[in-house]
Amino acid sequence: MHYLLTTLTDTLPKNNSLLTNFIWSRGVEEESRTSSTLNLAHTWLKDCSEKHEVCQKIIKSNTQLPTRVIDVNGPHLKITKGLTGKYTALSYCWGQDSHTHLKLIKNKLDAFQGNIPWVELPQTLKDAIFVTRGLGIPFLWIDALCIIQDDREDWRTEAACMNDVYRNAVVTLFAADSASASQGFLSNRMVKPEVALSLSDPESRIESSEIFVTYASSEDSDSANHETRLLGGNPGPWSTRGWTLQEYLSATSGIFFTKHQMSWYCPTCVVKEDGEYVDLLKEQAEEIALTLKGTYRHMNLTEISTRWVVLTQMKQVYLKDISDQIYHKLLLDEFHEIVNDFLHRLFTFHSDKLAATAGVARIMEENLKLQGVCSIYYAGLWSSNWVSGLQWESNHNRNFLCHSMISKKESSNAPSWSWASIVNAVYSRNVIKQSFLTQIQSPIADDQERFNPTGHLVLKFNAPLVYLSDMWMKIHSQEDGNIAQENPGILAFEKILREILCLDASDSERYLGTEFAQKHEPYAGQQFAVIKVSLSQNWIRPGPDDYDSSQSSPTSIDTDSTSLSVAEASHIFYLILESVQHYQGAFRRVASFELQ
């Protein structure tokens, strides 16, 4: 068991004190709605805008306001009409009781411009207004009050701008521990128990009665990543929701509110209310060096967000000497890591998935375009990398989601070739050695349809194809001699397919977790085909033990270290397609599998 030495609020040992080797933390007030807490948040914001050289280049001080914002001095809704100014944004969970909360709807648009009834606001929204006022910022953006919730076209238009809303905010407020908007995020903190310790230093102004011993939790560890520190060691509901990932990655700076304390986050640092300081510039240099040597197989949110900041906001600091080809590869690899994290999150509506990642995709497309790379985004995949983009599969470890989502009978707006077409997709991370797809024709769609489609997006290509027998889904009897004579391997091959798709299994839960169960739409005379997509090998990526951080700095990165070790075993990636009724010659993807 480990312990920490802490001091009273607002006191830390002087730099020349012997106690600085032992005391780096100060006590946190139990009450969060105090002037001292707001003053501290205001100090963080001021330091970032005036003292952080990197942040000054990234964070805009005065930008065009979103279509609608909340004037916190009312509060009332303001139609901005292209005005510029400063505003905060709120990232939070709506909660299971969201149907009872006050929202902007068509018949309240005029009334809200005069006054938003304070007594009807959920507590989280009240807290956001309170903090924004305390920071001296006039405007606040909250989705529930700034998007017309019963106007599908307005929602679709505003959702497409979500990344700009969070990217251009002076600071984003993250209600990290609130499961519902009704809970609020400025409740009393869970202060750790303390025991007084007799310890003094003649060089310090701190007296022995002000030194305490408290239990050290996981977020206090030297090895804790800044995600753990920001979220208080035990990630709450906010970190499991689908929409919040895009909000987090789009925001340039943020204040996290947890049940333990408040923390600041920006590209330069993480600072906690208890006094802990994390130098993110150093972590970014180490992370990008690891990236260029080969990425991790499974990245946590901290590694993903750190790399995202480097690739999209700080390329000229860390990556100005790498080729466009390497940058393109790094950014696409990062996108697949983001998607994998994103696909483990929860959604009230399965159809929101593409809208909730459109902002990240727009930022990526902008960065690739600046580098002269032509790669167009289509509903989750990239035109420069169709083959790799198709190599996702259903994740059987998330079957519990399939029960709840499929029972709603909610149809997805995503094309069948997109990972957003099922509730439990996951990307395999392989090195593609050979592609079997030729003459690929990207879908025809405008900018809005590409990011969040409402109609059909058709992907065309040539590939090796084999039609399955009419009986392939059924267990063949020994009397099916004609099939065996025509193609001796067909029975064995179709048996493998039935096993992969769990068609022979009595476990209905496992079957529900398959892509096939979620997408199969049978009709009389339906055809099925298998196409060969690629030859791949498993990626072996160096871990942190393979990297010496003392040998790297922002100005000394080995840009030639891009080789990856690859396992000997190769496998072929296949797709199973089924014909679509009433659309002659059209097929939908219904499953995938790999064979060595």
Side-chain angles (χ1 to χ4, degrees), residues 206-460:
I206 302 174
E207 299 178 0
S208 59
S209 61
E210 296 174 319
I211 306 301
F212 301 88
V213 176
T214 185
Y215 172 67
S217 57
S218 59
E219 71 267 24
D220 300 314
S221 167
D222 290 338
S223 62
N225 56 52
H226 68 257
E227 172 196 355
T228 302
R229 293 182 173 112
L230 285 171
L231 301 179
N234 296 302
W238 174 88
S239 64
T240 67
R241 299 297 301 173
W243 280 98
T244 58
L245 177 61
Q246 175 175 259
E247 295 162 3
Y248 175 48
L249 294 177
S250 297
T252 48
S253 64
I255 302 175
F256 282 75
F257 297 87
T258 72
K259 58 189 175 184
H260 297 294
Q261 61 178 310
M262 177 178 67
S263 302
W264 170 268
Y265 166 78
C266 68
T268 298
C269 62
V270 167
V271 190
K272 292 171 61 177
E273 196 172 347
D274 64 10
E276 183 184 6
Y277 181 92
V278 181
D279 184 354
L280 291 187
L281 294 178
K282 179 176 181 293
E283 289 191 5
Q284 288 160 0
E286 295 173 354
E287 177 58 35
I288 202 62
L290 281 171
T291 300
L292 294 171
K293 289 176 179 291
T295 57
Y296 300 111
R297 176 167 292 278
H298 298 294
M299 296 170 62
N300 60 39
L301 181 56
T302 292
E303 294 161 339
I304 291 172
S305 61
T306 298
R307 184 170 306 178
W308 179 252
V309 169
V310 169
L311 290 171
T312 62
Q313 300 179 32
M314 306 179 71
K315 181 180 183 298
Q316 294 306 312
V317 178
Y318 298 108
L319 300 171
K320 59 183 178 181
D321 295 326
I322 69 169
S323 68
D324 292 344
Q325 182 181 4
I326 293 176
Y327 179 72
H328 175 228
K329 179 183 181 303
L330 292 176
L331 206 51
L332 289 181
D333 287 344
E334 169 73 357
F335 182 76
H336 287 156
E337 296 288 358
I338 290 173
V339 168
N340 274 346
D341 183 277
F342 175 78
L343 292 173
H344 280 80
R345 294 167 176 257
L346 304 176
F347 281 89
T348 303
F349 302 105
H350 174 43
S351 57
D352 284 353
K353 282 187 174 181
L354 288 175
T357 50
V360 170
R362 288 179 189 276
I363 293 173
M364 261 191 66
E365 199 172 90
E366 289 171 9
N367 278 269
L368 289 170
K369 187 176 181 179
L370 288 173
Q371 295 303 121
V373 178
C374 182
S375 189
I376 309 300
Y377 180 81
Y378 292 96
L381 280 67
W382 295 90
S383 63
S384 61
N385 205 14
W386 282 115
V387 176
S388 178
L390 289 170
Q391 293 198 115
W392 53 268
E393 56 194 357
S394 58
N395 183 354
H396 295 291
N397 293 327
R398 301 182 69 239
N399 289 354
F400 69 94
L401 285 180
C402 297
H403 287 288
S404 60
M405 299 299 286
I406 293 175
S407 63
K408 296 179 181 179
K409 301 297 182 184
E410 182 196 356
S411 60
S412 170
N413 57 335
S416 68
W417 39 264
S418 170
W419 45 261
S421 62
I422 65 172
V423 302
N424 60 334
V426 64
Y427 261 108
S428 59
R429 304 300 292 119
N430 301 317
V431 177
I432 296 175
K433 308 301 290 183
Q434 181 181 357
S435 169
F436 299 109
L437 304 187
T438 60
Q439 299 182 34
I440 301 175
Q441 297 180 35
S442 297
I444 299 174
D446 60 25
D447 283 350
Q448 197 168 42
E449 280 291 299
R450 290 194 296 112
F451 289 95
N452 188 21
T454 57
H456 297 293
L457 293 187
V458 180
L459 177 63
K460 298 180 180 180

Side-chain angles (χ1 to χ4, degrees), residues 85-230:
K86 296 181 179 181
Y87 68 96
T88 64
L90 176 65
S91 177
Y92 67 111
C93 295
W94 280 38
Q96 296 296 321
D97 56 347
S98 62
H99 62 283
T100 66
H101 298 159
L102 183 68
K103 304 179 189 69
L104 175 62
I105 55 178
K106 292 177 184 177
N107 63 10
K108 291 185 178 180
L109 182 59
D110 291 337
F112 277 16
Q113 292 178 61
N115 176 62
I116 297 175
W118 180 262
V119 294
E120 297 182 34
L121 284 173
Q123 189 59 47
T124 294
L125 278 58
K126 290 180 178 178
D127 288 348
I129 293 173
F130 174 81
V131 173
T132 302
R133 287 172 176 169
L135 294 174
I137 298 172
F139 304 117
L140 165 65
W141 188 90
I142 301 175
D143 55 359
L145 299 179
C146 296
I147 300 176
I148 304 174
Q149 299 299 319
D150 60 348
D151 186 330
R152 185 63 185 175
E153 190 58 34
D154 185 73
W155 185 93
R156 194 162 178 253
T157 299
E158 295 303 312
C161 305
M162 203 80 76
N163 64 304
D164 288 329
V165 168
Y166 286 93
R167 182 165 51 173
N168 293 332
V170 173
V171 65
T172 297
L173 311 178
F174 294 94
D177 271 335
S178 302
S180 166
S182 59
Q183 288 185 359
F185 58 84
L186 293 179
S187 56
N188 286 353
R189 277 78 168 274
M190 296 177 62
V191 180
K192 299 173 184 176
E194 298 173 330
V195 177
L197 179 69
S198 179
L199 182 64
S200 63
D201 176 9
E203 299 297 328
S204 173
R205 66 184 176 90
I206 302 174
E207 299 178 0
S208 59
S209 61
E210 296 174 319
I211 306 301
F212 301 88
V213 176
T214 185
Y215 172 67
S217 57
S218 59
E219 71 267 24
D220 300 314
S221 167
D222 290 338
S223 62
N225 56 52
H226 68 257
E227 172 196 355
T228 302
R229 293 182 173 112
L230 285 171

